[in-house]
Amino acid sequence: MKARTVRLWSVVHTWTSLISTVFLLLLCLTGLPLVFHHEIDQLLGYAPQPEAHASAAHATTQQVADAALAADPGRVLQYISWDKYEPGIVTAFTNSTVDGLPDNTTVRAFDAVSAKLLGPVGVGPMLIVLKLHTDMFAGQAGKLFLGAMGLLFAVAIVSGVVLYWPFTRRLRFATIRDRASRRVVWLDWHNLIGVVTVAWALVVGLTGVVNTWAELMLNQWKATELASMVAPYAGKPPPSHLASLDGVVARAKTAAPGMEIAFIAFPGTPFTSSHHFAAFMRGDTALTSRLLKPVLLDGETGEVADSRALPVYLQALLISQPLHFGDYGGVPLKVIWAALDLLTIVVIGSGLYLWLARRRKRAPVRSGAFARRASVPS
Amino acid sequence: MMHGSPDSSRLWIRVFAAPVLLAAATITGLLAALLWGAVGQYVAWVTVGAPVLVAIWTLLRHSLDKGGLPKSGRHGRASLD
């Protein structure tokens, strides 16, 4: 590789890293507790626990909906969801209007058997950490900005791999030259940790970028696929009364055999039309439980209106989520995720140190050259 | 770029073999947990955890080297004769 090419890649690596450094540190530091958010919420008492029951007969969906509305008088239901990993809990989302702002949504957990209110969900310190991680309290603009930082991170990783060759070709793999200066030692650690974590960092970085586009993708789906699915209902007013939720659930299950309900979106919410319930169904394998299939049901009659697989870009979004969160391989994978997060912090920190050390090293040379020039008699 | 001669090819393999293998293991593990259920989880623990093990192993080796024989001069190993 020519010296000029190395310098060019070095400039790309330096500046893509430097511009994104502060935000990447923020993402890594907030991402670390988020890996264990469930455990932390449990420890701090913010995770509702289901009651112990002798009977396994679950409450009906309508009973849960009635309990949710009773718990939040004057408000309306937006969604009811069932977590695959928390079968004893049903979660209900209420808001002042069906299309109310996400920040105004109240999320409560109900016992799946007795429909008793168990407590609020998504509150406590982890909510602040989550907001910092996803949008820095700046809404959609904050999300897209962090997505752009994620893209810079990806460019920094690729340029780092290119630079790995000229910096390490004379060394054995995993060499740390501890007889050299501190700067060289940190350069070796930076190169080693950077290159061994490259695949994980790229996957987590790019899936994070995809996640920042979630709302844009959802809007695209609504404008195209969903619009086409509800076209026969164009001009119909919102339902004057809602169909029984138990009927909606039963018909959705019939329309998607072998699948179970992940969540129901009520008419008028961002995930459906103003006239339809949307039941999002999931499969039972590790992969298909992540891929949702929407079933649209008439809001008044509960009859199935249409059902289609989600487009590729939304499926990619759904697949990207576990790959970003690391929550799909049990606690050991979470621990590994946290360790890789810490290693990424070391790479970012050592990169910053190397840049500062190089500047300090150059500064005396520059000032010396200036002094020599200044001393030349005119 | 660096594949001009057999020597440079060998050098390229020496530099990139371990990183490429670790990257392949990581990707395999990330997908295994998603596609193969419980078995895939065990695969993921080993393969996604491999880069962490390499870092820990290097740190331990580095620490043991530093804590081993006394060094001569500023950084070199001591002469035993």
Side-chain angles (χ1 to χ4, degrees), chain A residues 32-48:
Chain A
L32 195 57
L34 284 174
V35 173
F36 299 105
H37 75 95
H38 189 75
E39 289 78 5
I40 294 171
D41 277 344
Q42 262 184 341
L43 198 70
L44 298 178
Y46 289 105

Side-chain angles (χ1 to χ4, degrees), chain A residues 20-82:
Chain A
S20 56
T21 288
V22 173
F23 302 100
L24 289 176
L25 277 175
L26 169 82
L27 291 171
C28 288
L29 290 171
T30 52
L32 195 57
L34 284 174
V35 173
F36 299 105
H37 75 95
H38 189 75
E39 289 78 5
I40 294 171
D41 277 344
Q42 262 184 341
L43 198 70
L44 298 178
Y46 289 105
Q49 298 299 312
E51 298 176 315
H53 295 283
S55 150
H58 280 201
T60 65
T61 309
Q62 191 62 54
Q63 283 173 325
V64 174
D66 292 342
L69 290 172
D72 207 357
R75 308 235 299 171
V76 294
L77 269 166
Q78 286 187 302
Y79 313 100
I80 295 179
S81 76
W82 291 262

Side-chain angles (χ1 to χ4, degrees), chain B residues 2-57:
Chain B
M2 62 280 286
H3 306 281
S5 67
D7 277 353
S8 60
S9 291
R10 269 199 295 275
L11 184 61
W12 194 89
I13 290 168
R14 200 193 73 187
V15 171
F16 280 108
V20 167
L21 281 175
L22 282 167
T26 304
I27 299 288
T28 305
L30 291 175
L31 295 177
L34 205 57
L35 299 172
W36 303 334
V39 176
Q41 285 190 8
Y42 301 134
V43 174
W45 296 346
V46 176
T47 55
V48 182
V52 181
L53 292 178
V54 169
I56 292 171
W57 169 73

